[in-house]
Amino acid sequence: MVKVSFRQDDKTLHFMCVGHAEYAKDGEPDIVCAAVSALSVTLCNALAHCSGFCCNVEAGDVQMTCRKTGEAQTIFHAIMIGFRGLVFMYPDHVSIDTRERPLRGEPYVQI
């Protein structure tokens, strides 16, 4: 299972993503891992210009920290919504840990 964590304090935003979705059979492309990778890379690339940005990627695991600005928060929350959609569609393969109240109902577009 992929475990994703979003945290923020007064000055910084923190993101962590570890694990493997194990959605596909061995040797086949894993669409859930591909989606997780796309969201993670998009977050790091979008925030790369922010002051105080740090992103570490090791064997597929990602840890990111950046200074909390309005622009950074907008990007951070947009990616969080993307991950919540993955959790909604693939709850046995992706989990998310936030300090915020989860969304209710079905606010996600399903493809």
Side-chain angles (χ1 to χ4, degrees):
M1 175 175 281
V2 174
K3 295 181 181 180
V4 179
S5 174
F6 289 89
R7 295 277 188 269
Q8 56 183 311
D9 56 38
D10 292 341
K11 296 182 181 183
T12 54
L13 301 171
H14 309 275
F15 168 77
M16 186 173 66
C17 179
V18 297
H20 191 283
E22 299 177 3
Y23 177 78
K25 295 177 184 172
D26 285 343
E28 293 183 9
D30 193 317
I31 61 168
V32 177
C33 274
V36 166
S37 295
L39 286 169
S40 299
V41 169
T42 298
L43 177 64
C44 289
N45 286 340
L47 295 176
H49 69 280
C50 292
S51 175
F53 173 79
C54 178
C55 184
N56 296 315
V57 179
E58 187 172 316
D61 296 341
V62 178
Q63 292 185 17
M64 185 280 311
T65 302
C66 79
R67 190 170 57 91
K68 188 176 183 179
T69 65
E71 180 183 21
Q73 280 186 285
T74 299
I75 294 165
F76 194 74
H77 284 106
I79 297 298
M80 186 186 306
I81 289 168
F83 273 106
R84 284 180 174 165
L86 285 179
V87 171
F88 179 78
M89 294 179 70
Y90 303 99
D92 294 334
H93 304 281
V94 183
S95 69
I96 188 170
D97 181 19
T98 69
R99 298 283 185 213
E100 297 181 18
R101 194 179 58 166
L103 298 177
R104 303 211 184 264
E106 297 184 20
Y108 303 106
V109 175
Q110 296 184 28
I111 298 171

